[in-house]
Amino acid sequence: MKLSYLKIVFLAVFSLIILSAFVIENPYYSISQKDVEIVIPQGFPKPVYDFRKNKMSAEAFTLGRKLFYDPLLSKDNFTSCGTCHLRFAAFAHVDHALSHGIANRIGKRNVPALQNLIWKNEFMADGGINHLDLQPIAPLTSEDEMGETLENVILKLQNDSVYPRLFQTAFGDSIVSTKNMMKALSQFVCLMISSDSKYDKFIAGKVEFTLNEKNGLNLFRAKCSSCHKEPLFTDNSYRNNGLAPDPKLNDIGRKLITGKESDLYKFRVPTLRNIEMTYPYMHDGRFNTLEEVLKYYSEGKFHSTGFDKELTKTTGLTESEKIDLIIFLRTLTDKTFLYDRRFANPL
Amino acid sequence: MKILFFILLNFIGIVSNGNPENGNELQINFRHFVGSDSLIFKTKEYVNELGQKYTVTKFKYYISNIQLINDSGKVFSSEEYFLINEDEPQSKGFSVKDVPPGNYKTLSFIIGVDSLRNCSGLQEGALDPIKGMFWAWNTGYIFLKLEGTSESSTAQGGIFEYHIGGFKEPVNAIRKISLEMDSLIFADEVPDSKKIFIKADISQILKQPVSIDFSTMPVVSDMTNAELVANNYSDMFSLIKEK
């Protein structure tokens, strides 16, 4: 009698553990209209993205999420957007220097994090793409990434047993179009807003910074913030940060887009939000740690071809300054964003 | 009922002349040539100015910002975008609708897509990126594609490929074409439908001001030489008479 009572208690506890695990990371987390409301965080500027042309809806977001994680979108049916954009790394490809694609192909640049995209007017490290709705076409059709044609993607989706119904529900049209597909993908990534880090809570007066964090913030504001401008931690400009070009990649940066000699080796200033999670660093992923990054900026051995004059501020950091800066940079990690169930793989 | 319907239509002059339902329309038809020969894909061989033989396998281009200018200088503009594709015969003719009455002297259009449209996000219809006339890595439409083969080509597979685009400085390959017409009159009284025929001569893409050599420039697919080719093709259109 006593034994079976224990058994029941054990079973109850065991099933609770299983159940709670399921609730915490339910892959089928269903999205409500309230879940897709765009809330502009305090102190953030007005978004660049025009939501009047793509009204957020639970159905379109859910469709966008499915598309984002669906390997059907690639030529080999094995590679999805989510293959290289990992949620727990703020949608960067953690520990991979250069992008990986179908058939073991390696691309030319480090996979960027996906966050706070509605405040960007141009995309890619060279700014070659001028609208968020057009952005997915590049990785979809790049031979080094998903290697598919737009025509084929649309065909596969149209012939799928589920997608036409999802397009019908989201956009009132079961015919799969480029436009609606891109709108859905945009809705999914538009909601990726990171604004709940310790830094944000400190700015809002909700938490205190430690002495090191405070010191790091002051150093940051003196030496880094002219390019990595708060609150987005980028001024969205293109700059040559003095890295010697890798002769094997021969990446000319923004010059590829504009053809201008003055844009040689310039790349977009990346955001530093969740920077702790998005290693390796730089456009070609050459540095594995933040320590290496700060060592580089501090040493000041910049490549001679037209490096940005702001870089002179970053040189000559002491060891304790570097430590404080890194401690500050870790306050930009936003666990609310990194573990947001809305962005989990539903497949 | 049927008779009544017919009479009513006849009264406003639609059925009898095969006229448009409402408003004047101008049908613009494109005819593709290489010099004086009609364009035939793949099987027919042509020779460029440098004596290099070639065949053509693809020919597509955008026509937009169409304007009709009348004898008093008044401009009528069409907002539509058209993709002309040799592979799709029905794409080689289209109608400009609701042309106001007038005596038109000039037809102008651009080969390509204006910068505003290039910067306005995802487009539909003729401008849907699925049409293959779009650069994904450097946002912008490809204005014109000419592809083919030549023994003289040094590119892999003996092909040549000219993909021309670029809408902002320092590379702007948008070219405006103006064609003078004898007279294109839309009278006041009844809606009318007129047809014109425009010859597009591929041989012009390969010459003047620069003779394109398949051995030294078999491929133009970024903006480096886009303006050179665009300058060549800016005189490839002319009005022709056809029934």
Side-chain angles (χ1 to χ4, degrees):
Chain A
M1 184 69 196
K2 210 179 176 186
L3 206 74
S4 74
Y5 176 70
L6 262 175
K7 232 183 204 171
I8 289 165
V9 170
F10 176 76
L11 267 173
V13 169
F14 183 74
S15 35
L16 258 174
I17 290 167
I18 296 291
L19 203 70
S20 66
F22 192 67
V23 169
I24 288 162
E25 201 51 72
N26 176 6
Y28 297 100
Y29 180 62
S30 72
I31 299 292
S32 70
Q33 194 59 35
K34 204 171 166 291
D35 284 326
V36 299
E37 253 175 61
I38 298 283
V39 181
I40 306 305
Q42 191 79 42
F44 275 44
K46 191 173 169 277
V48 176
Y49 193 81
D50 187 354
F51 286 100
R52 286 169 305 178
K53 289 179 182 156
N54 189 11
K55 288 206 169 65
M56 293 296 295
S57 77
E59 293 78 13
F61 174 89
T62 308
L63 170 59
R65 181 173 68 177
K66 185 172 163 65
L67 289 166
F68 186 88
Y69 284 111
D70 199 337
L72 190 74
L73 269 59
S74 65
K75 191 178 183 181
D76 64 1
N77 297 326
F78 280 116
T79 312
S80 73
C81 309
T83 303
C84 292
H85 292 290
L86 306 171
R87 180 169 65 122
F88 58 83
F91 297 96
H93 203 184
V94 67
D95 210 20
H96 290 67
L98 298 169
S99 67
H100 286 48
I102 57 162
N104 293 318
R105 291 203 189 111
I106 303 292
K108 282 192 165 167
R109 291 191 186 137
N110 190 0
V111 175
L114 305 182
Q115 49 184 334
N116 301 341
L117 298 176
I118 61 174
W119 288 279
K120 285 168 80 85
N121 57 348
E122 288 167 333
F123 301 85
M124 296 298 201
D126 56 24
I129 296 167
N130 69 16
H131 199 289
L132 184 59
D133 293 350
L134 297 169
Q135 164 62 40
I137 303 172
L140 278 173
T141 58
S142 162
E143 284 183 10
D144 289 333
E145 294 175 52
M146 295 162 84
E148 192 47 291
T149 64
L150 205 46
E151 211 173 355
N152 232 4
V153 172
I154 301 281
L155 198 69
K156 282 195 270 186
L157 295 175
Q158 193 70 67
N159 293 334
D160 187 81
S161 59
V162 182
Y163 276 109
R165 187 168 48 79
L166 297 179
F167 274 85
Q168 174 69 42
T169 323
F171 298 107
D173 189 352
S174 64
I175 303 293
V176 178
S177 66
T178 319
K179 189 180 170 192
N180 289 340
M181 178 186 170
M182 296 306 152
K183 274 184 162 181
L185 279 167
S186 282
Q187 291 212 9
F188 182 59
V189 298
C190 277
L191 215 57
M192 293 175 180
I193 295 172
S194 176
S195 62
D196 200 30
S197 63
K198 187 175 183 186
Y199 159 84
D200 294 293
K201 288 173 188 151
F202 169 74
I203 294 293
K206 290 178 191 160
V207 295
E208 283 292 315
F209 262 4
T210 65
L211 205 60
N212 295 89
E213 287 167 345
K214 246 182 231 167
N215 193 29
L217 173 62
N218 290 335
L219 279 165
F220 177 83
R221 285 182 170 160
K223 293 176 180 290
C224 318
S225 68
S226 55
C227 305
H228 296 287
K229 202 176 149 212
E230 297 166 71
L232 295 165
F233 289 87
T234 168
D235 67 349
N236 283 329
S237 65
Y238 303 90
R239 293 173 192 261
N240 177 347
N241 66 347
L243 293 169
D246 182 332
K248 283 180 190 145
L249 294 172
N250 194 24
D251 191 342
I252 60 173
R254 183 142 175 88
K255 192 193 165 192
L256 184 70
I257 301 307
T258 63
K260 288 181 190 157
E261 204 51 38
S262 57
D263 283 332
L264 182 64
Y265 304 137
K266 279 187 184 172
F267 296 89
R268 178 171 278 241
V269 175
T271 178
L272 300 181
R273 285 184 171 271
N274 296 299
I275 193 73
E276 180 189 4
M277 314 303 288
T278 62
Y279 67 91
Y281 305 110
M282 301 298 165
H283 65 271
D284 54 8
R286 67 176 69 186
F287 297 139
N288 277 326
T289 62
L290 288 171
E291 284 78 4
E292 281 176 79
V293 173
L294 288 186
K295 182 170 175 275
Y296 167 73
Y297 282 127
S298 181
E299 275 180 352
K301 290 179 189 159
F302 304 125
H303 186 249
S304 57
T305 316
F307 68 83
D308 202 280
K309 62 179 191 317
E310 297 289 335
L311 287 174
T312 50
K313 291 183 189 166
T314 68
T315 53
L317 294 167
T318 67
E319 287 313 304
S320 75
E321 282 177 329
K322 286 184 206 168
I323 289 166
D324 286 349
L325 268 171
I326 288 170
I327 288 170
F328 164 70
L329 289 173
R330 288 190 184 135
T331 69
L332 298 175
T333 301
D334 175 2
K335 291 198 169 140
T336 313
F337 173 62
L338 297 172
Y339 301 114
D340 191 328
R341 292 159 67 198
R342 295 174 301 177
F343 305 124
N345 186 347
L347 301 174
Chain B
M1 189 60 201
K2 214 172 184 178
I3 293 166
L4 191 73
F5 186 61
F6 178 76
I7 291 169
L8 188 71
L9 287 177
N10 202 24
F11 178 69
I12 50 172
I14 291 174
V15 170
S16 58
N17 300 329
N19 281 351
E21 279 177 34
N22 41 51
N24 296 311
E25 76 170 37
L26 175 63
Q27 290 179 32
I28 302 179
N29 300 285
F30 286 84
R31 296 287 180 260
H32 297 158
F33 288 83
V34 181
S36 53
D37 300 326
S38 278
L39 173 63
I40 300 169
F41 270 175
K42 290 174 189 166
T43 52
K44 183 143 175 69
E45 205 164 52
Y46 306 96
V47 184
N48 72 3
E49 264 199 334
L50 304 169
Q52 299 168 330
K53 291 176 186 165
Y54 66 97
T55 66
V56 181
T57 55
K58 187 177 280 185
F59 185 45
K60 298 162 87 170
Y61 52 91
Y62 277 113
I63 297 291
S64 68
N65 290 252
I66 298 165
Q67 294 192 321
L68 284 163
I69 304 157
N70 73 11
D71 51 4
S72 55
K74 217 171 160 206
V75 179
F76 167 73
S77 305
S78 157
E79 305 290 321
E80 279 189 274
Y81 293 76
F82 301 97
L83 178 59
I84 313 294
N85 182 358
E86 171 66 16
D87 259 335
E88 290 171 22
Q90 75 282 4
S91 77
K92 290 159 71 184
F94 56 80
S95 289
V96 177
K97 298 206 169 70
D98 299 321
V99 183
N103 182 4
Y104 292 95
K105 296 288 187 190
T106 308
L107 166 71
S108 75
F109 52 83
I110 67 172
I111 314 175
V113 178
D114 50 279
S115 68
L116 184 66
R117 264 321 150 103
N118 270 296
C119 298
S120 302
L122 198 77
Q123 306 293 319
E124 298 171 272
L127 295 175
D128 191 321
I130 205 169
K131 304 278 183 191
M133 297 289 279
F134 184 78
W135 279 318
W137 56 276
N138 187 1
T139 303
Y141 286 92
I142 300 169
F143 302 159
L144 177 141
K145 269 188 185 178
L146 174 68
E147 295 178 14
T149 60
S150 172
E151 284 171 7
S152 306
S153 166
T154 47
Q156 205 170 12
I159 57 140
F160 65 86
E161 212 176 88
Y162 303 121
H163 293 180
I164 310 307
F167 62 91
K168 51 182 190 249
E169 297 310 324
V171 176
N172 186 347
I174 297 173
R175 291 295 176 271
K176 188 177 175 180
I177 310 299
S178 279
L179 301 172
E180 299 306 316
M181 299 179 289
D182 292 342
S183 121
L184 176 76
I185 299 170
F186 285 108
D188 264 328
E189 307 82 38
V190 267
D192 201 354
S193 175
K194 305 254 187 205
K195 264 186 197 177
I196 57 169
F197 294 88
I198 296 173
K199 172 183 175 178
D201 179 0
I202 286 173
S203 74
Q204 296 291 344
I205 303 174
L206 304 174
K207 66 183 182 190
Q208 274 169 8
V210 178
S211 286
I212 292 178
D213 184 338
F214 295 129
S215 69
T216 57
M217 205 171 76
V219 177
V220 177
S221 66
D222 63 11
M223 292 175 194
T224 323
N225 287 311
E227 286 189 317
L228 179 155
V229 183
N231 289 341
N232 272 7
Y233 68 58
S234 58
D235 60 354
M236 74 168 178
F237 294 105
S238 57
L239 284 162
I240 52 169
K241 285 201 164 41
E242 198 177 301
K243 280 278 143 55

